[in-house]
Amino acid sequence: MLIPHPLLGLRDSQEFTYLGDANLMHRPDPAAENAEAAFCEYVFLRDNPAGVHRELWFHEQGDRSWLVVTRDTTTHEILGAELASDVKLGAAQ
Amino acid sequence: MTRLSGGLIDRSKPLNFTFNGKSYRGFEGDTLASALLANGVQLMGRSFKYHRPRGVVAAGSEEPNAMVELRTGARQEPNTRATMAELYDGLSARSQNHMGPLNRDLLAVNDLMSPFFAAGFYYKTFMWPKAFWEKLYEPAIRKAAGLGSLSMLPDPDQYDKGFLHCDLLIVGAGAAGLAAALTAGRAGAEVILADEDFSLGGRLTMESDTLDEAEAAAWIASVKAELESLPNVRIMTRTTVFGVYDHGIFGAVERVADHLKEPGAKVRQTLWRITAKRAVLAAGATERHIPFADNDRPGVMMAGAMRAYANRWAASPVKRDGDAIAIFTNGDDGHRTAMDLIAKGANVLGVIDARAGAEALGDYKLFAGATVTGTKGRLGLTSIEITRNGTSEWHNVGALGVAGGWNPNVHLASHHRGRPVWDDRLLAFVPSADGPKGLIPAGAAAGKGGTAEALADGMRAAIEALSEIDVTASEIALPKAENAASDQAAFWHVPGDKRAWVDFQNDVTVKDIALAHKENMKPVEHLKRWTTLGMATDQGKTSNISALAVMAELTGKSIPETGTTIFRPPYTGVSLSVLGGGDTGNNFRPSRLTPTHHWAEKLGAEFVEVGQWMRAQYFPRQGETHWRQAVDREVLAVRAGVGICDVTTLGKVDVQGADAGEFLNRVYANMMGTLAVGKVRYGLMLREDGHLYDDGTCARLFEDHYVVTTTTANAGLVYRQMEFFHQCVWPELDVQLISTTDAWAQIAVAGPKSRELLSRIVDEFDISNEGFPFMGCAALTICGGLRARLFRISFSGELAYEVAVPARYGQALMERLMQEGADLGVTPYGTEALGVLRIEKGHAAGAELNGQTTAQMLGLGKMVSMKKDSVGAVMSRRGGLAEDKRRLVGLKPIDGQQQIMAGSHLFTRGTAQETGTDQGWVTSSCYSPHLKSYIALGYLEEGDTRIGEQITAANPLEGKTLMAEVVSAHFVDPEGGRLRD
């Protein structure tokens, strides 16, 4: 598979380490009343969609960027890749 | 010899080879199969199940029968298709799957028992009694089956892997492939042209068709010359593109040196990963058989293969010159073989055509509306029975060509769930539009097998493919060619009572398919598994469609309604050696050497693999005959004097920025932001699920500059996790991370005399206890100006330091310390002594941080700060983890000379040794030369309250138990006075 790195262009997926669901970027509020339940869900439960999936890939053998890659899990088609920090900072604004 | 005239072999280069020990001669350009045929050898092997005598059936990689063991010794290679083995001088091959000589196979008795070996035989027979399968049935079956054998010796050859990129990959260099390559090459596109054959031309080299009214070889040669002159075209012969993968990536194996007796300096094979923007599938077509009674005798082969042997290799299919040859066909194609054989002067009996209205193309006898209904000849064909209008007669023939039609090689086009579609006119499956993206089928692979239409289609496909990537390609002048007549009848097999083989390699007959149908194994997926049809090395290339047709007839459905087979990679067998691509032995993964590796090597150190690192394990001295002598000496030297050890492998992460302290507060369980400049703190890192992840030290060198260390094993993982939190969770923090593990060499200097030794190399720096107390750190210079970092930390429990210098100075520093400390008795120590020292001190390492343990279990629960949030903090307080009462303890066997094995389980004295009564486990153990006793660390239920208790350590693997006393985990200096002095 080839991953369109937003800074480096198309890179072979072998250069990357896969983590999984991009929802891991949304760490629960540790001070919330239901923090333990929220963390349980955050740590242990994942959706496993057949279709479009946003997921985290680490360019470990490259520039060490974490990317949010949008991939169709049924065809492996990659619909986009963004820097995770951009995604996170964009969401915060 | 039954060599014909002409052909593309080089008669000036004779090659000697042996088959089953007998010497033969062939020529350059021959395959093993063509050379054997030319020497009158028809019998080449035995079938898998019934051990029937078999000869070559095809002329390409689809060959199901003629499989041999090639080469000898460590290079012995089973199941090599004789049709793909290029002849070289000195080639040695043996037939396989027989007991005793090939012509008197003892296991041929299986053929007499064939009524018992019908479809599903294994499933039905070896079910009972269950226990017999593993002990009796399976070993016996495995011994009798399995075709060729392995040498069981390590492969002596080199393999490699490589990466290629191109605009257009063309799979197959026949008429369509060459036309595509020429079109794309002239347009300036980056082209890779790959073919599994050792020469270009594909089917053009095997037919008598002319191009521009000359032999096709002339056109092929001119195209080859032009393509070779184009710098943007790469020709890869002997290269099989075996699979299509995601995003235009293709797998290919290049047989670099398979055609040589020994590879010499070359690699044997190369695994290529080709990334292509577009691809043209010009893989041609494979001929199919027409099953009839006893159709598997040596001498019965595909008519197209017979033509190929005659035209390209000048090899006649008969044993003796002059033996008659007959052709059995259901269409016009079989007649071409008859014409070509007549042109070569062969004795052609005639053509048996299943079509009643068939017409002869030339001067030969035609049996229209006739079929072949039987054959004779024990080890090779001697006669056939021709039946027409219910009347049968026998004819003597030495070979029979069978033309059942051509199946486009749709394999690669169906790798991405592309489902081939049935073409009623062609009577074959052709690639559909839903195949892999960017792969355009052309020529015979797309059902356009006529020479003229294949050439035009190849050109069309290249223009179309390139236009999709904005490269304009123009039409080229194609050579004048014709399309041979290709009328064909949907005639799939000759009905009859006797066995008629559909799949030669797996011995599946029409009857087996009928039985599968009767037993309701009708879907093709069931049919395949019940009968083993289409399995094994040829994956049914010649048999799948015939089988579908037979099943369709039985069910009364059409062939497309019956189904199709799904092709998966690889197209042909790929050896594990080349998939490994040379990653064997020491090359299995990279080896990382510490900066002092060569110094340690010179000193005679023994090394141990720690992840990818090679670390000095211990440094034996002359006279030491056992590793323990060296390790005990090294440990005692550290406790009494000074030892030095390379600890570079511990992970190092540089953390800089205004928010560095805040960031570390969040990733470490304990408080780091409050650390004073010039101080070090021990740090615990948790996983988000609350378990212990890693430990290390955190040193604040400057206001906004920290250096943290990780364990060796987790260096990469911890860095990855820190980057995850930095980029994905808290990108708003002003912090930058970089791994500096390889940038700094770090050497531990440990023992009561360590300060004395270091004082001799530091430049004007106060390392007195007051000036540089325990847990201090500093950036300084040593040895007269070399920049360094000094940490007063201790893993051994002694007064100790770690000194870091740029990696390239690591060895020089080590040598300087040895030199400066000679009078202090400075002793290099390895990982074994390091382990003993830390166990004696009760410090945790990998065995204690195994992913199932918590800070509380280490006795460090209070380090998980309540004043702030950090990774894993919330989950570490959840029910289940928070109540865990197991604690780290020391264990001392009552008999100190008995070793407690790590992994032993702990039980209260006198209780049953069961899961329910399990009290914990031993994590680490060693012999302590300091205490002159074996000692161990372990986790024990309520361990902190059980000091002094005698407990059972059970090692059920070895059936051993011993008694041990529960003691403090700190065997040495529990008050910690030594490291603070």
Side-chain angles (χ1 to χ4, degrees):
Chain A
M1 291 207 301
L2 299 172
I3 291 177
H5 191 298
L7 303 177
L8 303 172
L10 277 181
R11 307 300 311 174
D12 197 295
S13 63
Q14 283 193 328
E15 295 172 7
F16 293 81
T17 304
Y18 181 75
L19 179 64
D21 194 340
N23 279 321
L24 283 169
M25 295 169 73
H26 308 300
R27 191 170 180 267
D29 176 6
E33 212 159 288
N34 65 342
E36 188 182 310
F39 266 94
C40 270
E41 177 146 337
Y42 170 73
V43 170
F44 296 118
L45 301 179
R46 304 274 189 282
D47 286 338
N48 184 21
V52 176
H53 189 225
R54 282 164 62 78
E55 54 200 20
L56 289 164
W57 292 72
F58 182 43
H59 199 202
E60 189 149 38
Q61 315 225 15
D63 74 340
R64 312 185 315 269
S65 289
W66 276 95
L67 303 185
V68 176
V69 175
T70 308
R71 180 177 64 104
D72 187 326
T73 58
T74 60
T75 61
H76 286 182
E77 188 181 359
I78 296 204
L79 305 162
E82 303 155 274
L83 290 176
S85 53
D86 284 355
V87 172
K88 183 76 177 190
L89 289 170
Q93 277 161 12
Chain B
M1 289 289 284
T2 55
R3 203 54 101 164
L4 303 168
S5 60
L8 301 176
I9 48 170
D10 186 346
R11 284 162 215 266
S12 69
K13 290 180 183 152
L15 305 170
N16 295 308
F17 69 100
T18 67
F19 179 63
N20 286 339
K22 202 172 161 197
S23 296
Y24 297 97
R25 176 181 275 197
F27 297 107
E28 191 164 296
D30 261 325
T31 62
L32 175 59
S34 71
L36 283 172
L37 279 181
N39 279 283
V41 178
Q42 282 182 329
L43 176 62
M44 296 191 195
R46 290 272 174 173
S47 70
F48 183 66
K49 197 155 79 171
Y50 301 134
H51 293 258
R52 300 261 298 183
R54 290 287 165 82
V56 68
V57 162
S61 62
E62 70 273 26
E63 174 59 33
N65 275 348
M67 297 201 300
V68 298
E69 273 174 17
L70 198 65
R71 307 171 196 269
T72 54
R75 289 197 172 87
Q76 179 173 317
E77 180 190 306
N79 304 340
T80 303
R81 289 149 298 175
T83 51
M84 294 303 284
E86 219 174 312
L87 201 65
Y88 53 83
D89 198 52
L91 177 146
S92 153
R94 289 160 309 286
S95 54
Q96 22 184 66
N97 207 35
H98 51 88
M99 199 182 274
L102 176 60
N103 56 4
R104 284 196 303 276
D105 178 9
L106 297 176
L107 286 173
V109 66
N110 280 8
D111 197 30
L112 302 175
M113 293 167 68
S114 63
F116 303 101
F117 287 165
F121 162 71
Y122 290 93
Y123 302 120
K124 293 166 186 166
T125 311
F126 296 111
M127 291 295 289
W128 184 91
K130 208 175 157 197
F132 275 31
W133 174 251
E134 210 173 295
K135 296 217 162 53
L136 187 64
Y137 298 143
E138 194 184 3
I141 292 166
R142 290 223 179 271
K143 192 161 186 297
L147 299 172
S149 57
L150 295 164
S151 73
M152 305 313 282
L153 297 168
D155 189 332
D157 294 329
Q158 304 283 315
Y159 296 82
D160 204 355
K161 54 186 159 195
F163 297 78
L164 292 171
H165 296 258
C166 62
D167 293 326
L168 187 65
L169 168 67
I170 300 163
V171 183
L178 287 178
L182 208 51
T183 307
R186 286 183 186 169
E190 293 291 328
V191 176
I192 292 175
L193 174 65
D195 198 294
E196 60 180 352
D197 201 340
F198 56 87
S199 69
L200 298 181
R203 204 58 215 177
L204 290 176
T205 63
M206 305 172 201
E207 302 290 2
S208 55
D209 299 19
T210 56
L211 293 176
D212 280 340
E213 282 147 19
E215 283 191 352
W219 183 77
I220 297 167
S222 75
V223 173
K224 182 171 181 247
E226 179 173 347
L227 293 176
E228 280 172 347
S229 75
L230 293 172
N232 52 317
V233 177
R234 181 180 180 127
I235 301 174
M236 301 179 75
T237 51
R238 302 186 177 102
T239 302
T240 304
V241 177
F242 62 77
V244 185
Y245 301 89
D246 294 308
H247 305 167
I249 294 172
F250 293 77
V253 169
E254 182 179 5
R255 292 174 296 278
V256 182
D258 276 14
H259 60 296
L260 304 174
K261 188 161 192 237
E262 281 179 14
K266 289 187 179 183
V267 296
R268 176 83 183 270
Q269 299 180 346
T270 299
L271 180 71
W272 291 106
R273 202 175 146 105
I274 302 171
T275 304
K277 289 181 187 151
R278 288 293 181 277
V280 169
L281 177 65
T286 300
E287 197 171 16
R288 60 193 179 220
H289 202 73
I290 306 173
F292 55 87
D294 289 334
N295 59 331
D296 67 329
R297 293 191 199 282
V300 180
M301 63 167 73
M302 305 292 183
M306 202 176 255
R307 198 154 86 217
Y309 285 114
N311 288 326
R312 175 166 168 181
W313 289 288
S316 152
V318 291
K319 264 192 276 196
R320 284 170 304 270
D321 267 335
D323 280 0
I325 305 170
I327 307 296
F328 177 32
T329 184
N330 61 8
D332 293 335
D333 198 72
H335 295 259
R336 295 175 72 186
T337 304
M339 294 298 289
D340 285 359
L341 288 170
I342 290 166
K344 289 270 180 186
N347 173 15
V348 174
L349 168 80
V351 175
I352 303 120
D353 194 322
R355 299 171 300 174
E359 285 175 24
L361 294 181
D363 185 18
Y364 51 81
K365 193 170 177 188
L366 175 68
F367 301 82
T371 57
V372 177
T373 47
T375 67
K376 283 180 188 162
R378 195 174 73 84
L379 298 173
L381 189 66
T382 56
S383 57
I384 58 171
E385 183 187 51
I386 301 174
T387 300
R388 183 160 46 170
N389 301 327
T391 321
S392 301
E393 54 187 38
W394 285 89
H395 293 267
N396 290 335
V397 294
L400 175 69
V402 183
W406 294 82
N407 294 322
N409 288 330
V410 300
H411 302 69
L412 295 187
S414 50
H415 279 184
H416 270 204
R417 299 201 290 187
R419 300 302 288 258
V421 291
W422 183 254
D423 185 317
D424 260 330
R425 188 184 62 83
L426 290 170
L427 296 173
F429 283 101
V430 293
S432 67
D434 66 353
K437 269 190 172 176
L439 178 75
I440 301 177
K448 297 187 176 70
T451 306
E453 61 179 350
L455 287 164
D457 201 41
M459 179 176 75
R460 183 239 5 129
I463 293 172
E464 190 182 318
L466 293 178
S467 76
E468 289 175 13
I469 54 169
D470 299 324
V471 176
T472 308
S474 311
E475 293 201 351
I476 60 169
L478 293 170
K480 188 165 159 270
E482 287 179 13
N483 294 319
S486 61
D487 179 67
Q488 196 189 349
F491 182 82
W492 299 103
H493 72 110
V494 181
D497 296 332
K498 294 182 90 175
R499 283 180 296 170
W501 271 262
V502 179
D503 181 330
F504 292 116
Q505 190 168 118
N506 271 337
D507 270 336
V508 180
T509 64
V510 172
K511 275 185 176 177
D512 291 317
I513 298 172
L515 183 63
H517 173 257
K518 209 167 109 188
E519 291 173 340
N520 211 24
M521 297 295 175
K522 290 174 195 170
V524 282
E525 292 80 7
H526 289 170
L527 171 66
K528 174 170 178 170
R529 277 141 193 96
W530 198 238
T531 62
T532 71
L533 182 132
M535 292 189 176
T537 69
D538 66 336
Q539 289 288 293
K541 287 190 179 66
T542 58
S543 63
N544 282 342
I545 306 301
S546 309
L548 270 179
V550 172
M551 185 54 97
E553 195 179 282
L554 292 163
T555 53
K557 289 181 184 169
S558 70
I559 290 174
E561 280 169 348
T562 306
T564 175
T565 50
I566 297 172
F567 297 102
R568 298 183 182 86
Y571 176 64
T572 52
V574 177
S575 75
L576 289 175
S577 297
V578 75
L579 285 178
D583 294 348
T584 56
N586 287 337
N587 297 328
F588 186 67
R589 62 177 181 185
S591 284
R592 298 169 79 182
L593 304 184
T594 65
T596 64
H597 185 86
H598 300 297
W599 164 84
E601 218 169 28
K602 249 188 267 173
L603 227 63
E606 290 291 329
F607 291 93
V608 60
E609 281 180 52
V610 181
Q612 296 174 342
W613 289 101
M614 297 299 293
R615 294 189 71 179
Q617 193 175 15
Y618 55 94
F619 295 82
R621 280 190 186 164
Q622 214 159 24
E624 288 173 343
T625 54
H626 190 275
W627 65 269
R628 265 276 309 284
Q629 293 172 303
V631 172
D632 289 359
R633 170 180 52 73
E634 290 169 17
V635 169
L636 292 171
V638 171
R639 297 253 178 259
V642 58
I644 50 178
C645 179
D646 189 327
V647 293
T648 303
T649 64
L650 293 175
K652 309 176 198 79
V653 183
D654 226 55
V655 184
Q656 300 192 37
D659 295 325
E662 173 60 20
F663 178 75
L664 292 172
N665 266 347
R666 297 187 191 184
V667 295
Y668 278 99
N670 50 325
M671 198 67 88
M672 289 300 179
T674 56
L675 189 63
V677 173
K679 285 290 175 191
V680 186
R681 191 170 284 169
Y682 176 71
L684 276 185
M685 206 175 262
L686 308 185
R687 290 195 311 236
E688 196 69 277
D689 69 0
H691 283 94
L692 270 177
Y693 186 34
D694 200 60
D695 70 346
T697 59
C698 178
R700 190 171 192 175
L701 287 173
F702 303 101
E703 182 61 31
D704 57 358
H705 184 178
Y706 293 77
V707 172
V708 304
T709 65
T710 74
T711 57
T712 298
N714 284 340
L717 298 171
V718 166
Y719 175 72
R720 184 193 300 167
Q721 162 144 320
M722 288 171 76
E723 283 288 6
F724 166 76
F725 285 107
H726 166 44
Q727 294 178 40
C728 302
V729 183
W730 304 304
E732 69 280 6
L733 293 183
D734 176 9
V735 60
Q736 295 299 325
L737 311 170
I738 189 165
S739 165
T740 60
T741 306
D742 297 83
W744 292 86
Q746 195 146 320
I747 294 172
V749 183
K753 294 180 184 166
S754 55
R755 183 183 295 131
E756 170 60 27
L757 175 54
L758 278 176
S759 71
R760 299 176 184 181
I761 62 159
V762 297
D763 298 343
E764 294 175 25
F765 182 80
D766 178 11
I767 61 162
S768 69
N769 202 28
E770 298 69 37
F772 193 65
F774 181 56
M775 296 308 251
C777 70
L780 73 169
T781 64
I782 62 170
C783 303
L786 174 61
R787 81 196 159 96
R789 291 167 177 177
L790 190 63
F791 309 89
R792 188 168 162 192
I793 52 181
S794 175
F795 199 38
S796 58
E798 299 299 327
L799 169 67
Y801 302 82
E802 288 184 17
V803 55
V805 292
R808 63 187 179 279
Y809 294 105
Q811 177 152 335
L813 174 61
M814 189 63 106
E815 284 166 349
R816 175 67 76 88
L817 287 167
M818 289 294 286
Q819 202 183 323
E820 297 284 350
D823 62 317
L824 302 172
V826 65
T827 302
Y829 64 101
T831 55
E832 283 299 323
L834 191 77
V836 172
L837 289 162
R838 72 97 190 162
I839 294 170
E840 286 181 338
K841 180 62 184 172
H843 276 156
E848 286 75 34
L849 307 171
N850 71 349
Q852 301 173 303
T853 57
T854 65
Q856 288 170 350
M857 289 171 69
L858 264 191
L860 301 174
K862 290 200 175 108
M863 279 183 72
V864 183
S865 173
M866 300 290 283
K867 293 185 194 145
K868 61 166 180 108
D869 173 47
S870 64
V871 174
V874 170
M875 292 292 269
S876 75
R877 293 190 266 273
R878 69 187 146 125
L881 278 197
E883 292 98 62
D884 198 317
K885 294 278 186 264
R886 290 174 296 188
R887 292 293 179 268
L888 188 71
V889 295
L891 296 162
K892 209 176 154 190
I894 304 304
D895 172 358
Q897 300 318 301
Q898 271 194 304
Q899 185 181 5
I900 308 185
M901 287 299 287
S904 297
H905 276 250
L906 303 175
F907 296 93
T908 304
R909 188 173 196 172
T911 58
Q913 292 172 14
E914 298 162 354
T915 310
T917 54
D918 193 294
Q919 294 285 296
W921 76 99
V922 176
T923 52
S924 306
S925 102
C926 70
Y927 179 79
S928 164
H930 184 74
L931 298 169
K932 298 192 172 53
S933 164
Y934 278 99
I935 58 170
L937 298 175
Y939 287 108
L940 176 65
E941 288 287 347
E942 317 232 12
D944 46 345
T945 67
R946 296 170 76 170
I947 304 294
E949 183 181 329
Q950 291 197 0
I951 200 158
T952 304
N955 171 10
L957 272 183
E958 294 178 304
K960 288 179 187 162
T961 59
L962 58 77
M963 296 302 298
E965 186 186 341
V966 180
V967 295
S968 157
H970 311 294
F971 295 92
V972 169
D973 188 29
E975 298 77 28
R978 294 187 186 196
L979 34 79
R980 290 186 173 79
D981 277 345

